[in-house]
Amino acid sequence: MYCKLYNHELVEVLSDKKSAKDTNRPGLQIAIASLPGVDGIIIHKLDRLTRSIRDLGMLIETLGQKCLVSVTDQFDTSTASGRMVMNVITSISQWEREAGRERTMSAISHLKETGKVHGVIPYGKMALGDLLVDCEAEIATIKLAAS
């Protein structure tokens, strides 16, 4: 529908099931390989393509003079304004990903500091409600193995 509206020829529809955290995805690799035969790439949403400023730079370099169009984000890199919008959106996407990781690490650190259960319970410990406590039987096994 979008291609028809803007007189773009749709050559192929590609989809990746993996996260946009890196460029190691089959659909993206096929799109990059097809660049010599097309005028550009149309994507649904930029944060589905990449959430990394570094990866975006590599992709834009690979595109060369070809354009990147995002239907949902409404930009087209054939214009200066489109390139600026693309860079702002990618910066925000990368920040969201990094901030989420920082919040997760902070929550895990808090759980560790307070002795609460988190993730896989290590050998020598056991869960007592939501607390992590020593498991004397496993500690005895560790001491026996170490001697």
Side-chain angles (χ1 to χ4, degrees):
M1 184 89 159
Y2 181 90
C3 290
K4 188 174 186 179
L5 180 64
Y6 290 97
N7 290 326
H8 296 302
E9 179 187 355
L10 180 61
V11 176
E12 188 173 1
V13 175
L14 301 167
S15 179
D16 280 316
K17 303 294 183 215
K18 291 178 71 178
S19 165
K21 70 178 183 171
D22 62 38
T23 59
N24 187 23
R25 303 187 316 270
L28 179 55
Q29 295 306 314
I30 292 168
I32 290 170
S34 72
L35 281 172
V38 299
D39 294 330
I41 295 176
I42 298 174
I43 59 174
H44 169 70
K45 192 166 172 39
L46 183 60
D47 69 1
R48 301 294 83 215
L49 177 66
T50 184
R51 288 181 164 228
S52 161
I53 294 169
R54 179 180 51 90
D55 288 346
L56 179 64
M58 184 273 308
L59 289 168
I60 294 302
E61 189 174 310
T62 302
L63 278 168
Q65 296 300 310
K66 314 251 179 187
C67 72
L68 176 65
V69 175
S70 174
V71 176
T72 304
D73 301 314
Q74 298 183 340
F75 70 76
D76 177 340
T77 62
S78 66
T79 69
S81 294
R83 289 186 295 277
M84 188 263 314
V85 168
M86 174 195 61
N87 283 306
V88 168
I89 291 170
T90 304
S91 293
I92 292 169
S93 293
Q94 181 170 329
W95 169 80
E96 284 178 330
R97 196 172 118 244
E98 291 174 357
R101 184 175 35 230
E102 287 173 358
R103 285 190 300 272
T104 300
M105 297 307 293
S106 178
I108 290 171
S109 178
H110 174 72
L111 290 172
K112 285 180 180 178
E113 289 170 6
T114 58
K116 301 243 172 127
V117 175
H118 63 281
V120 178
I121 298 172
Y123 195 77
K125 298 286 184 178
M126 66 181 188
L128 184 61
D130 66 345
L131 293 176
L132 202 56
V133 296
D134 289 341
C135 175
E136 296 305 327
E138 290 178 0
I139 290 174
T141 302
I142 292 169
K143 287 178 181 175
L144 181 64
S147 60

